[in-house]
Amino acid sequence: MTNTTTAPPAPSAPSAPSAPAGRTSGWIRTPHARPDATARLVCFPHAGGAANAFTALSAGLPEDIELLAVQYPGRQDRRAEPCAEDVSELAAGVAAALASRSDRPLFLLGHSMGALVAFETARLLEEHGRVARLFVSAARPPAQDWEEPDLTLVGDEELVAGLRQLGGIPEPLLRDPEIVAEVLRLLRADHRALLRHRCPEGTAVAAPVTVLLAAADPKNSLEQMADWARHTTGGQDLVTLSGGHFSLVERPGESGPILTHHIRADLARAEQVPAPAEASADAPAAAPAREEPLADLVREILLDGLEGRAPKLSTDLTTLEAAAREVMSPDAYAYVAGTAGSGATGRAGREAFDRVQLVPRMLRGTHRTDTSVTLFGQRLPVPVLLAPLAAQQVAHPEGETATARAAAAAGVPMVLSTFASRTLEEVAAEAGDGPRWFQLYLPSDRAVGESLVRRAEASGYSAIVVTVDATHLGFRPAELDRGYSPFLRGTGIANFTADPAFRASLPAAADTTATVLRWAQISTDPTLTWADLAWLRRLTRLPLLVKGILHPDDARLALEHGADGVVVSTHGGRQLDGGVPALEALPGVRAAVGPDVPVLLDSGIRTGSDVVKALALGADAVLYGRPYVYGLALDGRRGVEHVLRCLLTDLGLALALTGCASLADAGPGLLFPREPVGAYGTHPLARTTSDAPGSSGTPENGERR
């Protein structure tokens, strides 16, 4: 495409949009009109493509987003018009056509060559402040040399072979001579416009840019895509899609929710107003923890110490269990702290972290650390999510609602358990705009399972985490010795008693006992197989993670049956006694799924250094469990906030002290190469990160999703 060594000087500010002579209409198609939409997504097709490429994507978008598909001249109903001579001509036509549609925020999305047209259109529109975000798919940045050949010198058979490799055109169509002739005509014409395009290195838009990169795209790499950051002053993030070059349009069930999330998040930010100067004592903390400089909490505590004030709770998060035991009822403590059998799995999980040692690097200029990570198109401020812990009302009367407020204040996503003591709708209301996921125990009554998923979708949960290691309840002596289950006493079944499908399955005039017994009958399903995961995949378009994976083969099977990510977990040692520690299973799972599949680690995390160790061994993020429930027991919402502030401060300092300016730096090079870390390479269920390129979970250029 563009050769920067021969690019002309930077152009002056673009002029107001005006259409080329004779090209004032016909640029925009609306596959599904949505007159009440709050935003418009303008989609630019690839070379040789047409507006109908985005029909399926349009159909899957929610009612508050209207898709406008660009129709280039020279094709379909515009076939009588000559094809555009260059990209700027296309951009001018589209910008003029959009001038009358600026009553709602405009989001621009360009696929392949369409990304260049979208970029140039954004430059024209931004003179009038009408672009909220630019999405670019399967396209190198505009100032890069795209290394495209002159297609007038390429034979038809070779071009068709290239089309087969990229996909996007069904094979029966490629066997039709008339269709092939038309496709090649348009492809060659559009490539002529592409080859003429020149973009100086410093050219940028003010809108933020989201780069969509398909994991199996043969034309584009993560390293190439990173350069889009040079072409925006509004910030850039990158989202990895599954599939190949045409993943954006071939997998609308995956790309649609990602686009929707970004659009709604941008709209919400635009509508935010400053919080009142004073807040009630029960309101969430005003400033998210991630806005703090690294040592703010440390400084705050030490300054309080000069005035004789000490923290109400210990900052040593490993001591909170003992403190919580003093205030919790014996039954509640047995439920929260108990493990399976002799407790060997739980102990081994902690010992695995103790065996891993970090080797810090010096003088790396880590004044601040970037702890953000992108998972399934969501930019999360920290690589930590609150693990789904059931029946939190046993620890504190407010239960999950207090936890949700604390998580929102700290900027930490919460994963809500199916077996929560508050309904998913109540928790969503407390979480506000904070990101949240829903953990699902798939009931044996599929109607109830579907209802739970639909309620989660409607309540703004952005991912489903299906737990697969608890189809049978583990043998937990601490609970059994007391004959205690919170669920059989009615705590932890709120999502069922509030569910219309569950209530419809109850006998007439069912009392509390009958309700609990029905819950016990259908709440989990010991007959689950991988086919049930495939059923769940067909049920929802939300990202789907499988929690409880330890064997690499199970990780592969999860992906084969529709999972988008996996959670390596021993269920906190609560299920199988004598199991492999999650941390030791992590490298093998990462190697099995490759570098592009999100992998989270659950079980055993206690400190910021533990998080860094998990990242170094291949995790993209971690689930943090029992310590926050101990904080909940000790001081309600404030206790959870205290735990999270301590953990995240510790994490930021651990990254800085190991020389990591961002999560991308937290790779296997941080680990001291000695036993038992080396044992990961010989364990039948694991391989070291050195055995497979990128198997640490960090792509080869060091960027995390």
Side-chain angles (χ1 to χ4, degrees):
M1 190 199 79
T2 300
N3 189 321
T4 57
T5 60
T6 60
S12 58
S15 59
S18 61
R23 307 264 179 92
T24 56
S25 63
W27 287 92
I28 303 298
R29 304 287 178 271
T30 308
H32 302 89
R34 296 185 172 112
D36 297 327
T38 57
R40 290 187 170 114
L41 176 65
V42 186
C43 296
F44 298 73
H46 53 282
N52 61 0
F54 300 103
T55 302
L57 180 61
S58 174
L61 291 176
E63 289 299 312
D64 57 340
I65 301 173
E66 182 178 61
L67 186 145
L68 308 180
V70 172
Q71 185 77 303
Y72 302 146
R75 64 214 68 209
Q76 294 184 343
D77 58 332
R78 301 188 70 186
R79 195 180 191 285
E81 303 175 43
C83 292
E85 293 296 320
D86 55 50
V87 167
S88 61
E89 180 183 344
L90 293 171
V94 179
L98 292 174
S100 63
R101 300 175 186 252
S102 60
D103 56 321
R104 279 162 261 183
L106 292 178
F107 294 78
L108 272 53
L109 165 63
H111 177 64
S112 197
M113 186 193 83
L116 298 182
V117 188
F119 176 79
E120 295 298 340
T121 303
R123 292 182 62 214
L124 293 170
L125 292 176
E126 279 191 341
E127 189 175 355
H128 308 279
R130 293 201 295 264
V131 178
R133 180 175 290 271
L134 174 63
F135 297 94
V136 292
S137 164
R140 297 189 190 184
Q144 270 190 25
D145 184 350
W146 278 32
E147 302 174 353
E148 293 285 345
D150 183 349
L151 297 189
T152 61
L153 305 178
V154 180
D156 289 359
E157 290 186 4
E158 185 178 348
L159 271 183
V160 171
L163 292 174
R164 281 196 173 94
Q165 181 186 13
L166 287 181
I169 302 179
E171 182 60 29
L173 298 184
L174 290 176
R175 297 196 191 102
D176 186 315
E178 291 185 6
I179 292 176
V180 168
E182 178 66 3
V183 169
L184 297 187
R185 179 185 72 84
L186 293 174
L187 191 60
R188 289 188 169 108
D190 289 346
H191 265 251
R192 283 195 299 271
L194 186 152
L195 290 171
R196 290 189 178 101
H197 183 59
R198 294 291 182 270
C199 180
E201 184 69 35
T203 307
V205 293
V209 173
T210 294
V211 178
L212 305 172
L213 174 64
D217 188 345
K219 291 194 67 172
N220 304 291
S221 70
L222 188 60
E223 184 176 7
Q224 293 162 340
M225 298 303 96
D227 267 357
W228 272 102
R230 301 173 184 268
H231 294 285
T232 173
T233 60
Q236 177 230 326
D237 65 340
L238 185 141
V239 178
T240 301
L241 305 176
S242 57
H245 186 74
F246 286 95
S247 175
L248 173 76
V249 292
E250 290 181 332
R251 299 170 181 252
E254 177 182 3
S255 55
I258 291 171
L259 298 168
T260 299
H261 165 76
H262 275 81
I263 291 171
R264 285 177 170 171
D266 285 345
L267 294 176
R269 279 191 290 270
E271 294 172 358
Q272 282 179 352
V273 296
E278 294 184 9
S280 69
D282 292 329
R290 292 306 83 211
E291 297 298 322
E292 298 176 324
L294 283 177
D296 256 17
L297 177 62
V298 175
R299 188 178 299 108
E300 175 187 314
I301 291 174
L302 295 180
L303 290 176
D304 282 348
L306 292 177
E307 300 180 11
R309 296 193 300 271
K312 182 175 180 179
L313 304 183
S314 174
T315 58
D316 181 353
L317 302 182
T318 65
T319 69
L320 295 182
E321 179 180 345
R325 185 171 191 171
E326 297 299 316
V327 301
M328 296 175 74
S329 72
D331 287 346
Y333 176 78
Y335 171 73
V336 173
T339 55
S342 68
T345 304
R347 291 192 302 272
R350 282 303 309 147
E351 291 165 0
F353 280 98
D354 292 338
R355 289 195 297 269
V356 175
Q357 294 177 316
L358 298 170
V359 183
R361 300 299 304 276
M362 299 297 130
L363 302 181
R364 296 296 184 95
T366 51
H367 172 60
R368 288 181 181 271
T369 56
D370 178 9
T371 59
S372 63
V373 62
T374 298
L375 294 174
F376 310 110
Q378 275 191 313
R379 195 70 171 174
L380 306 181
V382 290
V384 178
L385 299 89
L386 294 190
L389 270 72
Q392 292 182 25
Q393 215 163 14
V394 303
H396 188 275
E398 294 185 6
E400 291 83 0
T401 54
T403 298
R405 292 198 299 273
V412 176
M414 178 181 182
V415 185
L416 180 71
S417 173
T418 297
F419 298 155
S421 46
R422 298 295 183 97
T423 68
L424 60 89
E425 290 85 2
E426 290 177 287
V427 174
E430 296 294 339
D433 292 332
R436 51 191 177 273
W437 295 0
F438 182 66
Q439 177 267 345
L440 177 67
Y441 288 105
L442 193 58
S444 58
D445 186 331
R446 290 294 183 267
V448 177
E450 179 171 357
S451 180
L452 288 168
V453 170
R454 297 298 179 223
R455 289 167 58 199
E457 292 172 333
S459 299
Y461 292 82
S462 56
I464 300 291
V465 181
V466 57
T467 295
V468 296
D469 62 357
T471 54
H472 300 269
L473 186 67
F475 190 82
R476 304 173 189 171
E479 297 169 49
L480 295 173
D481 287 354
R482 303 194 64 82
Y484 178 73
S485 166
F487 311 109
L488 298 183
R489 288 164 170 77
T491 299
I493 65 172
N495 279 321
F496 290 81
T497 57
D499 190 85
F502 177 80
R503 292 200 305 268
S505 72
L506 292 173
D511 59 10
T512 300
T513 300
T515 299
V516 170
L517 289 177
R518 176 60 180 165
W519 172 87
Q521 286 177 330
I522 64 100
S523 58
T524 59
D525 186 354
T527 70
L528 283 180
T529 68
W530 291 112
D532 296 294
L533 180 63
W535 173 84
L536 183 60
R537 171 71 288 166
R538 294 190 296 271
L539 183 64
T540 180
R541 295 186 301 170
L542 290 178
L544 184 63
L545 296 91
V546 176
K547 179 176 179 286
I549 296 297
L550 293 168
H551 198 293
D553 288 348
D554 284 342
R556 296 186 189 98
L557 285 167
L559 300 184
E560 289 173 11
H561 289 82
D564 300 297
V566 297
V567 182
V568 180
S569 172
T570 65
H571 212 104
R574 293 166 65 80
Q575 282 300 99
L576 176 67
D577 193 24
V580 59
L583 190 69
E584 292 193 359
L586 172 62
V589 170
R590 168 53 73 191
V593 302
D596 299 319
V597 174
V599 175
L600 282 68
L601 180 81
D602 171 70
S603 305
I605 298 282
R606 292 294 180 269
T607 69
S609 292
D610 290 343
V611 178
V612 174
K613 292 173 183 179
L615 298 176
L617 284 168
D620 293 297
V622 303
L623 298 183
Y624 192 66
R626 286 188 179 96
Y628 82 78
V629 177
Y630 297 141
L632 178 67
L634 289 163
D635 198 19
R637 174 185 59 78
R638 291 183 181 84
V640 180
E641 285 186 15
H642 170 82
V643 170
L644 294 179
R645 286 192 73 192
C646 288
L647 176 71
L648 299 183
T649 299
D650 190 16
L651 169 61
L653 289 170
L655 286 168
L657 291 170
T658 52
C660 298
S662 70
L663 302 187
D665 299 327
L670 290 183
L671 304 178
F672 185 59
R674 50 161 290 185
E675 296 292 345
V677 177
Y680 295 136
T682 57
H683 195 286
L685 300 186
R687 296 292 181 267
T688 68
T689 53
S690 63
D691 288 339
S695 60
S696 69
T698 305
E700 292 185 9
N701 73 337
E703 292 196 8
R704 289 186 184 271
R705 290 165 295 281

